[in-house]
Amino acid sequence: MTDLSILLQSKMPLAAWIIDIENATIPWFNEAAEALLADSLHDIESGRRVINDALQKRLAVHLRELEEGAELPFKWPFIAKDGSQYQVTGSVISLGKSRKGLSVEARPCVSSAALDVSEQHQISDLLPPKLNSHVGLLSQFKTLSFGVFDKSGQYIDSSECFSQLFGDLADIRDLFAVSGAANSFIRRIAKQENISQEIRLSTKHGVRWHQIEVTHNTENSHVYLLVHDIQEKRDHEVELYRLKNYDILTQLPNRNLLYQQLESALSNAKKRQREFGLLYLDLDGFKVINDNFGHRVGDELIQRVAERIKGSIPPTACLYRLGGDEFVVVLEMTNNTQELESIAYNIKQSASNTYLVADMEMMITASIGIASYPSHADDIDNLLKNADAAMYRAKAMGHNMYCIYEGHMAENINAHLTLGSGLRKAIEEEEFVLHYQPKIRLPDETVVGAEALIRWVHPELGMISPDKFIPLAEESGLILPLGEWVIRRACRQLQEWRESGHPPIKLSVNLSGRQFMQADLVEMVKRVLEETGVDPEYLELELTESMLMTDAQQSIEKLHGFRELGLTLSIDDFGTGYSSLAYLKKFPIQTLKIDRSFINDLGINNDNDAIVKATIAMANSLNLKIIAEGVESRSQVDTLNHYDCLEVQGYLFSKPLDSVDFLSYMQSNSINNACAVLM
């Protein structure tokens, strides 16, 4: 309750008035003050400036230093017209909106004493102007919104500010936007409760939040309502809450709300012996897009991905953005991990379709890790950590996949980070080698090429396969210097074999997505060819469908640049991407490689047989060479022979070989051509 409320509910037998120091005005005084100070009041309108600048500054200093309710550290005397002597005091009150004012009272003294002229002038500075006696008390408030009602809620009187805010009222119930709130309010004032609360009231400018204070006058049963608009304060608080708990870019809840939900889910699961789980998502190759197209394009892609993911999860699941290209999906009350796998599958299928961003058709996939309580962790931090570890495993397995957490994955993360710290040094010191897996021409089963696989010869860990370090190179950006090293090393190998008298061999280098987005890639390849003296006819570049479809138009321009250099171009893992026949005709390529996923069930799955047969027929009609990878059985060879597939590769014929063993293999199989490809 404010000092003003206390003042108004009392009998107020003393002469009293209020000073608005900031505006240098007297917004209110009582009848006792008007009678006492009649000779000192000037015939001017209420609310005009009545305090001089010097006094205003002096009083303002006291207001800054004193708290509400505190009295001024001085008193002053006053002698009325009839000779009565008074002692005048002042105390600090609230005028609303963090503003302070001064409540002044004149108390009669027992004895009288003469006052000098200067003291009386000082007193006159604090007096209000004369008011018209017919004007109601509350009509004199200029800065406070104040209304008076009877105990049943009927309107009696109000300040001008109150009337301007709420208009003409008949009943206190008219203030409320909700009838239930009005009825509850009436019941409380019927019990003569003093109320102080925040509530929504209906104003002439719409429904807004207000701070209200209600006091009661027991003598006349009047209800005093002091109202302060706090809508801007509420809006500010809401905005601060959103800034703290929601991602600005996607409007998704952020890490703060994620932890709140996980704490709640964990508590509920423990009490009711239930399960809950989460999916940890990381976009594959997002840094490539950010680096090559800029952050505006990257931000728009993140927004599109967030919308797509949100639309592919059930209504009971919640999606959060942790930052960058990382998201988390939480599902409470799961019955088993199959539910989480189903969500992961839907996200994978939906998110990997093309996105229209900045007038480009872009593609991006997601790697997803799955963990659930209590199977994989019994606390929040470990649950998130293990889901993250499963996500890294999915990324290491080739992207656009999901994995459920297993115990050894946490150890793999540590190894993953250890390898990452040594990767840059490994590139500088050339700790890598190329191995070659032969390609076989089916009619006579002779070697006509090879696929080269990069290996890291770690000084402590030994031979490390590409699936362990290529994702690290992609994430860190080191794939660019590593990719250039592979192209240069392949060209040097060509020269070494030629200078040793071996027949010319065509080497194919498989470009990564990040590398293909490199702005000066064509110029870099041209420079390496010139430095090594290799004929471009013997260098082939392999690219994936998804890589080409990230920006199809730019891909076409870059591919034509390679063709102008005289290079051969091949699409690797054909059938797993999303390129249309229209784009396939526009890409200046010479070779299609059928992905091993279609070869695995060849002769077993009729759908795969139909896809492989149709792909071979299409390639032949377009005058494209075709090769099937992952051949591991004679039945697969027989089927591919029947479909007129001319080239294959796989463990049925040979595993990857180092350069020395590969030369021996070529010589023993009457090689006519050879080809090397980086994975």
Side-chain angles (χ1 to χ4, degrees), residues 475-490:
E475 294 164 17
S476 63
L478 292 174
I479 193 66
L480 299 184
L482 183 60
E484 183 173 347
W485 178 88
V486 172
I487 293 174
R488 181 170 277 102
R489 183 70 193 93

Side-chain angles (χ1 to χ4, degrees), residues 19-27 49 51 53 55-57 59-60 63 95-102 143:
I19 306 174
D20 183 343
I21 303 300
E22 181 179 340
N23 296 317
T25 59
I26 307 296
R49 185 180 182 86
I51 304 175
D53 291 340
L55 181 59
Q56 181 189 33
K57 292 179 180 178
L59 293 175
L63 290 187
L95 296 180
K97 293 186 178 180
S98 303
R99 294 172 55 244
K100 296 178 182 178
L102 195 62
T143 60

Side-chain angles (χ1 to χ4, degrees), residues 198-364:
E198 293 183 359
I199 194 169
R200 297 172 74 233
L201 300 179
S202 182
T203 73
K204 292 168 65 176
H205 308 291
V207 177
R208 297 175 64 84
W209 279 98
H210 291 78
Q211 172 70 45
I212 64 172
E213 290 192 27
V214 177
T215 58
H216 301 265
N217 189 321
T218 56
E219 289 191 355
N220 57 19
S221 298
H222 286 177
V223 178
Y224 300 124
L225 176 64
L226 182 63
V227 179
H228 175 49
D229 190 317
I230 59 169
Q231 185 65 51
E232 291 185 6
K233 175 188 173 185
R234 274 293 187 119
D235 292 342
H236 182 63
E237 290 173 349
V238 169
E239 184 61 25
L240 287 178
Y241 180 84
R242 290 202 62 83
L243 289 174
K244 181 181 178 182
N245 296 290
Y246 285 84
D247 174 55
I248 297 177
L249 182 62
T250 63
Q251 302 305 310
L252 292 174
N254 63 16
R255 190 183 299 268
N256 289 335
L257 290 185
L258 169 64
Y259 276 96
Q260 290 181 32
Q261 186 189 2
L262 290 178
E263 292 284 0
S264 174
L266 180 63
S267 176
N268 291 333
K270 287 181 176 179
K271 288 179 182 178
R272 297 170 174 80
Q273 295 184 337
R274 291 176 174 172
E275 298 181 15
F276 73 93
L278 58 87
L279 288 71
Y280 202 114
L281 289 77
D282 184 272
L283 302 185
D284 302 320
F286 178 72
K287 193 174 189 302
V288 178
I289 294 174
N290 249 358
D291 291 347
N292 289 276
F293 293 100
H295 289 279
R296 288 189 180 181
V297 172
D299 287 349
E300 186 177 348
L301 179 59
I302 286 288
Q303 290 174 323
R304 301 289 86 76
V305 170
E307 292 168 0
R308 186 89 53 88
I309 295 174
K310 192 171 183 180
S312 62
I313 63 177
T316 52
C318 296
L319 175 64
Y320 300 83
R321 185 189 180 204
L322 298 190
D325 59 345
E326 293 183 320
F327 298 85
V328 168
V329 176
V330 177
L331 182 66
E332 296 194 44
M333 295 185 294
T334 59
N335 295 317
N336 48 56
T337 55
Q338 282 74 27
E339 291 184 57
L340 300 172
E341 286 187 84
S342 177
I343 295 174
Y345 178 80
N346 290 338
I347 293 173
K348 185 173 76 74
Q349 293 298 106
S350 176
S352 58
N353 291 325
T354 56
Y355 297 85
L356 183 60
V357 177
D359 297 324
M360 296 182 289
E361 284 190 346
M362 307 191 76
M363 282 191 61
I364 194 164

Side-chain angles (χ1 to χ4, degrees), residues 332-504:
E332 296 194 44
M333 295 185 294
T334 59
N335 295 317
N336 48 56
T337 55
Q338 282 74 27
E339 291 184 57
L340 300 172
E341 286 187 84
S342 177
I343 295 174
Y345 178 80
N346 290 338
I347 293 173
K348 185 173 76 74
Q349 293 298 106
S350 176
S352 58
N353 291 325
T354 56
Y355 297 85
L356 183 60
V357 177
D359 297 324
M360 296 182 289
E361 284 190 346
M362 307 191 76
M363 282 191 61
I364 194 164
T365 57
S367 296
I368 306 172
I370 300 173
S372 67
Y373 168 88
S375 301
H376 303 129
D378 58 4
D379 64 88
I380 291 172
D381 290 335
N382 280 315
L383 193 64
L384 282 169
K385 184 185 74 173
N386 293 342
D388 190 25
M391 181 273 294
Y392 270 103
R393 176 57 181 163
K395 194 175 287 287
M397 291 172 62
H399 298 168
N400 196 28
M401 301 183 69
Y402 63 83
C403 283
I404 300 174
Y405 175 75
E406 297 176 6
H408 61 82
M409 291 180 179
E411 298 176 3
N412 291 344
I413 283 291
N414 294 332
H416 187 77
L417 297 175
T418 301
L419 289 178
S421 62
L423 187 57
R424 186 180 299 277
K425 181 181 177 182
I427 295 173
E428 294 173 354
E429 299 185 1
E430 298 192 14
E431 296 177 357
F432 301 94
V433 295
L434 294 181
H435 283 196
Y436 307 89
Q437 184 178 31
K439 295 181 180 179
I440 307 299
R441 186 173 59 204
L442 279 186
D444 54 9
E445 295 192 1
T446 59
V447 177
V448 293
E451 177 178 2
L453 305 174
I454 187 172
R455 298 288 189 266
W456 181 359
V457 186
H458 196 282
E460 298 176 0
L461 303 176
M463 194 72 72
I464 302 175
S465 61
D467 64 315
K468 302 293 185 183
F469 63 85
I470 290 297
L472 282 171
E474 289 272 10
E475 294 164 17
S476 63
L478 292 174
I479 193 66
L480 299 184
L482 183 60
E484 183 173 347
W485 178 88
V486 172
I487 293 174
R488 181 170 277 102
R489 183 70 193 93
C491 289
R492 286 176 180 170
Q493 184 69 79
L494 274 173
Q495 284 299 86
E496 291 172 10
W497 285 341
R498 185 180 64 82
E499 292 170 358
S500 298
H502 298 288

Side-chain angles (χ1 to χ4, degrees), residues 478-490 509 511 515 518 520-521 524-525 527-528 531 678:
L478 292 174
I479 193 66
L480 299 184
L482 183 60
E484 183 173 347
W485 178 88
V486 172
I487 293 174
R488 181 170 277 102
R489 183 70 193 93
V509 176
L511 300 179
Q515 191 179 10
Q518 187 176 347
D520 62 345
L521 179 61
M524 183 270 286
V525 173
R527 185 172 62 252
V528 171
E531 291 174 1
L678 164 68

